[in-house]
Amino acid sequence: MSATTIAAEPAASSSVQWQRIEVSRFGGPEVLQVVTEQGLPQPGPGQVRVKVLTAGTGFTDAIIRQGQYVDVKDKPPFTLGYDYIGVVDALGEGVGEGVGESAGEGAGDLTVGDWVADMPVIGGYTQYLCADASQLVRCPMGLDPAQAVCMILSYTTAYQMLTRECSLNPGEAILVHAAGGAVGTALLDLGRALGLRVFGTASAGKHELVRRFGATPIDYRNEDVAAVIGRETDGAGVKAVFDTLGGASWTRSYRYLARGGTLVAFGALQLTTGEEKLPGLLWGFAKLLAFWPLLPDGRRSVFYNIQRRRQKLPQAFREDLSTLLQWLAQGRLNPAVAAVRPLGDAAEVHRQIDSGRIAGKVVLDCQAPVGGG
């Protein structure tokens, strides 16, 4: 069967109803609406149609929903969803014929039934979508799709920060802020896999989860983080700090570093929660990117953004995600999936994200029955 024949399914495709989650306007979880579509989307040249199995959720999606994510220029309405795992459902012209392989290994030889992963930033909260074949990363078939979707945004972020932004050896100490979150738990899991000594700040209710990964929890509300780090490292400090909180926290985190250590900032959580104001964040960026690099103290500071790095170095993203998917298949990783919820529960999941109650990552089952319309 040719690619053209596979893509052209008017009789079957036109009668299928499917759902997606739309941001109707920027705002709170109430702006997320279930939209029912009639007729499956048809892939264009170089594209495939993907039947989405699972979509990841997290604080980044909440920031996009609020209209505060600088890398999303789209205005509502649009479909939310940073990353997804799916199965190739139909092929567009040129796919499966070796076309497009220069854009990425295997990009041109996808076939119906292949498992794929992608990180479109928006668009993943859906049952079906069309995507450029060159953007997709092939997955080992038969993975738990709820665990597999964790490998895309959360684990690739953690892996690249640990291995491409830092030079770490087994036994060295690192500190992870917001250790009970999606990226935080990925850092804990990968830190264990890499033989690192890991400390993680988290609220008391998430300490059991932190310990599950072999890390040492620090109660940031009731403990002096600097004192704990000093005591546990004999005053030397940690080799790396991974900080998603914001400018004021980056300043504190820089002080926890040992000589030769690296501060990796990768978010501004406290700006979106209202705990920090924009001037404080901007001052933090000034120190992070301009002032601290001039200090002759042997320490480094960098800001990491997965999407911008992928745009500059797409092959590195493909290689790192492929590595993580293989590690998952080999049983080397154990992502903290807090729950798997139907696609139609997206608004309720976002209420939990906004409240900070989620330990790990909630995954949406995109093929579960969806209500609404």
Side-chain angles (χ1 to χ4, degrees), residues 34-292:
V34 177
V35 175
T36 299
E37 302 282 4
Q38 180 72 39
L40 294 179
Q42 296 303 310
Q47 290 188 326
V48 300
R49 186 173 68 222
V50 178
K51 180 180 181 179
V52 179
L53 300 177
T54 55
T57 72
F59 196 74
T60 304
D61 287 336
I63 298 171
I64 295 171
R65 186 203 74 221
Q66 295 166 2
Q68 299 189 66
Y69 195 69
V70 296
D71 290 330
V72 172
K73 308 302 181 185
D74 299 64
K75 302 298 182 184
F78 59 80
T79 304
L80 197 62
Y82 208 98
D83 54 358
Y84 66 86
I85 293 286
V87 179
V88 175
D89 182 65
L91 308 180
E93 181 181 354
V95 182
E97 301 172 2
V99 177
E101 291 187 7
S102 62
E105 184 179 352
D109 62 355
L110 289 172
T111 61
V112 170
D114 283 345
W115 282 41
V116 291
D118 194 17
M119 191 181 70
V121 182
I122 59 174
Y125 289 11
T126 185
Q127 294 184 319
Y128 291 91
L129 56 79
C130 292
D132 291 342
S134 62
Q135 288 293 107
L136 302 175
V137 177
R138 194 192 304 272
C139 298
M141 296 179 66
L143 292 175
D144 179 336
Q147 293 188 335
V149 77
C150 297
M151 299 298 108
I152 308 172
L153 172 59
S154 300
Y155 271 70
T156 302
T157 292
Y159 183 77
Q160 291 194 329
M161 291 192 300
L162 284 164
T163 64
R164 296 191 181 271
E165 300 293 349
C166 299
S167 178
L168 297 167
N169 298 311
E172 291 182 323
I174 65 171
L175 173 64
V176 177
H177 286 301
V183 177
T185 52
L187 283 162
L188 302 185
D189 197 11
L190 287 166
R192 177 174 59 179
L194 296 171
L196 301 172
R197 185 184 181 198
V198 184
F199 300 91
T201 65
S203 58
K206 297 179 181 179
H207 282 197
E208 182 179 350
L209 176 61
V210 173
R211 291 191 186 95
R212 190 191 311 166
F213 289 102
T216 301
I218 302 174
D219 185 347
Y220 66 93
R221 290 173 177 160
N222 299 303
E223 293 184 273
D224 183 332
V225 177
V228 174
I229 293 299
R231 181 178 68 247
E232 295 291 336
T233 63
D234 295 325
V238 295
K239 190 62 182 292
V241 181
F242 302 92
D243 193 333
T244 188
L245 300 178
S249 181
W250 300 340
T251 299
R252 294 189 294 271
S253 292
Y254 191 80
R255 300 181 188 129
Y256 306 150
L257 291 174
R259 187 168 183 83
T262 302
L263 166 61
V264 184
F266 64 103
L269 176 63
Q270 292 180 339
L271 179 68
T272 57
T273 61
E275 297 172 76
E276 183 170 68
K277 302 303 181 183
L278 184 59
L281 179 65
L282 294 177
W283 175 230
F285 267 115
K287 290 185 286 186
L288 183 79
L289 302 177
F291 177 65
W292 289 331

